[in-house]
Amino acid sequence: MAPLIGVLALQGDFQAHGSVLRGLGATVREVRVPGDLDGLDGLVLPGGESTTMTLGVEREGLAGPLRELAARGGVGGIPILGSCAGLIMLDREHLGIMDILANRNAFGRQLRSFEADLNVKGLEGEPLRGVFIRAPWIAEHGPGVEILAEVDGHAVAARQGRVVAVAFHTELGQDDRVHRLFLADVAASGGGDSVETG
Ligand code: GLN
């Protein structure tokens, strides 16, 4: 059975994530209220604007349910992928799902948007072309966090259990390997048939 992936759809480029995921065979549900989280096998927090997204999460009462979802099922909970603003949403000062501290708009004014070839741990083959749009980097991280990629010595991708955060946009461009990695996590955690709901 196709895994059911939720994409937080309060703000940002959730539609682009939806089409990549559908292209890879997942069933996609846009998440706007807590009830939309029921029965998900995985969740994507898209890029956008983290202040607006945070206000939306608070307005809809989603913060608690999102944290519960991350914790459900033991170590790491259900797989979550956060991209750009989604990385910020996962950090200690926002949802607190990952033991990281994001530095917003970290690359500075003149470098607001750029692309870089990244060697990402866990991805085979050629470097991944990362699209950075007013991107954050990971300024601090705890011992349970593995850094997966860096740009100029700054951490731009990390994993903690089943939660992966990337500072770049994985949903733009041709390379869908980060989404594939996420869906592999979903499959490995039983997504598609045996996900616990309690
Ligand atoms: N700069 C945005 C923020 O701080 C993130 C940018 C993005 O998601 N592309 O929320």
Side-chain angles (χ1 to χ4, degrees):
M1 200 166 84
L4 176 61
I5 307 300
V7 182
L8 187 67
L10 298 173
Q11 189 270 336
D13 69 340
F14 52 89
Q15 282 169 338
H17 280 280
S19 40
V20 176
L21 291 163
R22 283 189 196 96
L24 292 171
T27 303
V28 174
R29 181 195 288 160
E30 294 185 353
V31 171
R32 295 192 173 82
V33 293
D36 295 336
L37 298 171
D38 290 348
L40 293 183
D41 298 318
L43 177 73
V44 172
L45 304 178
E49 209 288 313
S50 54
T51 304
T52 312
M53 222 179 277
T54 299
L55 289 173
V57 161
E58 284 169 9
R59 184 187 66 230
E60 301 300 337
L62 274 161
L66 285 171
R67 290 191 189 103
E68 273 167 34
L69 198 68
R72 184 192 297 164
V75 185
I78 74 161
I80 297 179
L81 172 65
S83 165
C84 203
L87 177 152
I88 298 168
M89 296 300 292
L90 290 167
D91 90 347
R92 292 173 189 152
E93 293 189 339
H94 293 79
L95 291 168
I97 287 172
M98 281 183 95
D99 190 11
I100 60 172
L101 183 66
N103 185 357
R104 291 180 64 188
N105 303 323
F107 289 94
R109 267 188 165 274
Q110 40 306 41
L111 283 177
R112 272 187 172 177
S113 300
F114 62 97
E115 296 187 12
D117 286 325
L118 304 168
N119 292 308
V120 183
K121 268 186 212 165
L123 294 189
E124 313 243 311
E126 63 199 33
L128 182 100
R129 190 89 182 144
V131 178
F132 294 76
I133 304 171
R134 302 185 65 210
W137 66 50
I138 298 166
E140 289 175 26
H141 64 92
V145 175
E146 184 190 12
I147 299 303
L148 302 180
E150 295 186 346
V151 168
D152 296 338
H154 301 293
V156 293
R159 171 188 285 282
Q160 183 172 2
R162 292 173 180 160
V163 185
V164 170
V166 297
F168 44 92
H169 287 262
T170 49
E171 72 290 1
L172 306 173
Q174 306 299 318
D175 200 326
D176 56 13
R177 280 178 292 165
V178 172
H179 284 91
R180 286 176 189 271
L181 189 74
F182 165 67
L183 290 176
D185 282 350
V186 170
S189 68
D193 33 49
S194 63
V195 166
E196 292 178 27
T197 51

